[in-house]
Amino acid sequence: MFPKVLLILLWMVTIFPSRIEGPHAESERGPSARHDDVYGPKPQGPQKKLSSEEIKPTTVDTRPRFGKLVAATEILDRMLNKYDHKLRPGIGEKPTVVTVQLFVNTLGPISITDMEYSVDITFCQTWYDERLRYNGSFESFVLNGNLVSQLWIPDTFFRNSKRIHDYAITMPSQMVRIHKDGKVLYTVRMTIDAECSLHMFKFPMDSHSCPLSFSSFSYPKSEMIYKWEDFKLEINESNSWKLFQFDFTGMSNTTETISTVAGDVMVITLFFNVSRRLGFNIFQNYVPSSVTTIVSWVSFWMKKDSAPARTSLGITSVLTMTSLGSYSRKNFPRVSYITALDFYITVCFIFCFCALMEFAILNFLIYQHTKPRASPRLRYPRARGRVLTPLRARGRAQQQQGNVVCEMEDSEDDSDDEEGPSCPAQQSLHPGRSHCPGGCYKFCKYLCTARRCEGGMWQQGRLFIHVYRLDNYSQVIFPVTFFLFNVVYWLVYLNL
């Protein structure tokens, strides 16, 4: 009986071991045993040791992943191990042919004062280097700017450049692509500030060709040859918006050989053709100059005695034209020749000055004629020995009275009347000369200051100019002359 009870107890202990130690184990582990309350990765159970058969597939997957990388590294190391970047390809055998391509990112702006322009380009050069040939499954290798210094690069420089800006953020904007047949493509992006000689004779109707020339710095034509590859360069509104006052009209290229101390060097020049837009200068220079000139003619319709108003208007017009001339030269190169705009402003200045001088001449002549004179003295002819009859004596007295009245008649202050004094009796007595104050008989041959001197014998065969009608002449002569000048000016400069 006792052995049976002992066997039952042993069987119970074997079946319920976790129930016996469960509460004690949880109390010993504490809160760490609860995986939901722990922040972080859940604890994993003991890893099972993998057999050698289970490890084999992982080893097979890693080999192709690093195989091409190792192969590429070996090819580059093999090429650059004995490569001398100081020597050009084909040295001593044949010249190196460098094919050039150029892409314009942005063109402009063009600085008139400094006579230069800016262009942002991507410059591509292609050549063959037999030392860089390789065998492998790679068609080409692309190297960044850090490895450019380990290869031979053509020493191309831009001959008319003033400043060149390279892009080095975040990495230098350089790239080298090496093909398996030894073909090398070198690409670099740069912004160039180049010289552009601007001939401003037709300004602001001028057109220019801004060059961009490049060549080798040290290799003559016998060692390095440049050539274009399918010369196609697209420039449109998307990359020429910085031109502002200019329109892009086209481009061309030339290839020439120049002689230097190092030998004959091949130079390739690219021309950017631009023409100036006329709208800005029309509204900023031509319209104000023309309006100022026309305003100065308003004085011809003013009264002759309005001296303050006419003088102020004339002086203001002259000073305004002087200011416009100075403003047009403010942002302009100091060239020694006169431009089309300078010529136009100068002519407008002359018109304004002549309008001012017209009133000065008119005022001077009127003053000379209307200034006070000495009182006339009545002179009667001496009686001759013969006795005059009463009828003849009465006629002689009336004739002498008419002569005295004519001498006393002078110009009244009648500014509205455009004519001067009349002296029909005197004109009949002196047909060879007109009534001219101050004895200026030389000028009176061509000028008339009398009110009714038309039809006299004195003006036959001479140019008749009525001084009192000088404003009437100016009202026609000035506008017609200015109109004819504008017609000739625009026809000549637009077709020159």
Side-chain angles (χ1 to χ4, degrees), residues 433-445:
R433 66 183 182 183
S434 64
H435 184 71
C436 186
C440 302
Y441 297 110
K442 292 183 179 180
F443 297 100
C444 284
K445 291 180 180 180

Side-chain angles (χ1 to χ4, degrees), residues 307-321:
R310 298 186 66 167
T311 304
S312 302
L313 181 60
I315 294 176
T316 303
S317 302
V318 171
L319 294 179
T320 302
M321 290 306 308

Side-chain angles (χ1 to χ4, degrees), residues 293 296-297 300 350-358 470-471 473-484:
T293 304
S296 66
W297 304 338
F300 301 150
I350 293 174
F351 270 94
C352 294
F353 183 76
C354 290
L356 178 63
M357 294 303 298
E358 184 269 346
L470 191 59
D471 283 345
Y473 301 149
S474 300
Q475 292 173 8
V476 178
I477 293 175
F478 276 77
V480 172
T481 306
F482 189 70
F483 175 77
L484 294 177

